[in-house]
Amino acid sequence: MSPSISIKAVNITKRYGDKTALDDISFEVNRGELFGFIGPDGAGKTSLFRLITSLLIPDGGTLTVDGLDTVKDYTKLRKILGYMPGRFSLYQDLTVEENLRFFAGIFKTTLEANYDLVKDIYSHIEPFKTRKAGKLSGGMKQKLALSCALIHKPEILVLDEPTTGVDAVSRIEFWEMLNKLRQSGITIIVSTPYMDEASRCDRVALIQGGKIMSIDTPEAIRNNFGRDLWALKADDIYRLLVDLRRFESTWTAFPFGEHIHLSLSDKSIKPAEIALYLEALGHSNVHISKIEPSIEDCFMEMMSVGSGTGEE
Amino acid sequence: MRSFIIKEFYHIFRDIRSMVVLFGMPVIQVLLFGFALSTEIKNAPVAIIDQSNDQVTRAITSKLLSSGFFILSDQVPGEGHIDEVFRRGKVKEVIIFESDFSKKLEKDHRAGIQLIADASDPNTANLLVSYTSAIILDYQQEYLKGMSLPLTVKTESQMMYNPALKSVFMFVPGVITILLMLITAMMTSISIAREKELGTMEILLVSPMRPIQIIAGKVLPYVLLAFSNAVIILLLSYFVLGMPVKGSLFLLLAESLLFIIMALSLGIFISTVSKSQQMAMMLSMFALMLPTILLSGFIFPIENMPLPLQVISNLMPPRWFIIIVKSIMIKGLGFQYIWKETLIIAGMALFFIALSIKKFKIRLE
């Protein structure tokens, strides 16, 4: 076991009845890394995090965290974990401060002893420390939950969809906090359905249907896209999508907001040819521009290729 | 542990519903059972049709009315109207003296009184008739004083431990038992189920706390609260309802504590098998309340039950606790008379504690 590896998963499988939630996945998370699991709802993120936190037992494969097996050594493991479940899971009828003191207490420490650790985060909500946790806004709840998960100085922080249901400003703040935490040497794994948050991580795993499609740094994933990507716009966006998907050289075409992102199987085709094809079909106000692929583009492409091969 | 217990108290004191269940219900129940649901006769409305209206009938009438059991209701014009009076529900019993009552008594040594009771409530009717008969008999004995009868057999009955046949004596032990059972078992099972439902159990599990610590942290606050509840109920029944504590108070409290611990471990067991607060509540209501009331001997005597039910009633913890409470409070018995029942409850407590620790899940599935 290399000392630089924090979490090591080998051929992990998890089934619920005859439904497979995680299908033979393997990955490694380095110590001190901010590692993201990115994927849509139902991809298996929560199952995976529950396996890592020893709340579930894998049906196959082994999973170790800092050398501790999640099945055999769960008592030791639970001492070094900080866990924030996907659902807001603090006591709503307790105040901010009472929650924090409670979680300090069950880990046999005190708020005062570890105040430095949570200071940056807790200072945001300290003015509201006498408010009941149930009455906090979404962003403040997440900060409190993070403070509670951190109060016992865990070595690994496991955050299941911490930014789901949180406003945009709070999301940015939250990621800045994670960045600061990472600098203090703590290993952080975080899951999110928001593709745009991927670039905040050191490395990301794209997960879909219980399988990991790719693990790499966000830059490498984007660079591996391997095709030119075009953003198209026209008056009738729906018909545009349908017609683009009929275009013989189209590799993928997905709607992204008010644009359609298009990649082509044939590199030699120029945008003017696409415009010509579309105008021949009666589209007006067609705009075509070349763009850099985002993580979401990569994700969508991998998904469609994955399902494409499945059909063949 | 300490912070866990503090947290648990916050939960209880901040939830109005739990506070009402914890402290409002015992008071209301005890007072309800003590006063409203009494089976004693007090001021029952009766009508008297006195067809002779002489010295003897007036003496009997005044003796009846001064007993405190009866009050004179409307005059009934005549025997033909009795049915109508009963139907209006204003009168529970009608007493009819035959005409020339005292004359017949002197001449024939025999005179008739007819008692007609409204038996749509059979218990009350029975009691009314026997009370009335007893009072008339009493008068007869006074009347015959000095005279000697040729031959009489006299029965003398004595009601031991509860000479006045107060129903409080029967209800209080039952009410204490039911309340302690319901409050403790239901409240703990709900509070653990709530942690599961809100997802906080997930965090508690991913902490160094061991199952026994989580359980103990849940149980201790409720032991304290239920015990103070038992004290409140005892104080109420002693001062308000006049229920005596003839035996050792210390023994009574110690036995209550044991019973509370038993009920709590049952509550924990319920919570380990229920996934939501709703389910925990239903389980404690139907699995505990009804058998407790029906099969513990609180309302229906166990001796009168069919054999299968008698066997089942042995499994009802309240059955044994009611015996203990009655023995200590009413009969004033010491520990040597109730060690068997104590042992049974202690055994049940151990059984449920062991079962809950075993069933308590250290993971989510």
Side-chain angles (χ1 to χ4, degrees), chain A residues 113-158:
Chain A
N114 285 333
Y115 187 77
D116 279 352
L117 212 64
V118 295
K119 192 178 65 188
D120 277 345
I121 302 154
Y122 185 51
S123 59
H124 286 101
I125 45 174
E126 206 164 6
F128 311 103
K129 67 180 180 183
T130 55
R131 191 181 286 188
K132 300 262 169 70
K135 297 220 157 64
L136 294 174
S137 70
M140 289 203 282
K141 275 181 182 168
Q142 296 311 81
K143 282 170 199 161
L144 176 59
L146 184 59
S147 306
C148 290
L150 271 175
I151 190 70
H152 61 289
K153 204 166 195 263
E155 281 164 46
I156 296 145
L157 197 55
V158 179

Side-chain angles (χ1 to χ4, degrees), chain A residues 14 50 53-57 70-71 74 78-79 81 83 85 87-91 93-95 98 102-103 105-107 132, chain B residues 1 3-4 7 10-12 14 194-210 213 362-365:
Chain A
K14 180 69 198 169
R50 285 180 171 167
T53 51
S54 80
L55 283 168
L56 294 177
I57 295 176
T70 57
V71 180
Y74 72 93
R78 287 175 181 186
K79 286 182 186 140
L81 279 180
Y83 175 43
R87 207 153 42 116
F88 178 67
S89 301
L90 300 176
Y91 297 101
D93 53 340
L94 261 57
T95 66
E98 284 159 0
F102 169 69
F103 284 104
I106 62 171
F107 282 94
K132 300 262 169 70
Chain B
M1 268 296 278
S3 56
F4 201 104
K7 177 212 81 156
Y10 283 142
H11 285 324
I12 298 163
R14 284 183 190 166
R194 181 167 57 191
E195 302 256 3
K196 285 192 198 171
E197 207 175 303
L198 297 179
T200 44
M201 192 54 101
E202 217 173 313
I203 305 190
L204 293 184
L205 288 177
V206 187
S207 79
M209 296 240 298
R210 276 182 294 170
Q213 286 176 307
I362 50 162
R363 300 174 201 271
L364 282 181
E365 51 171 20

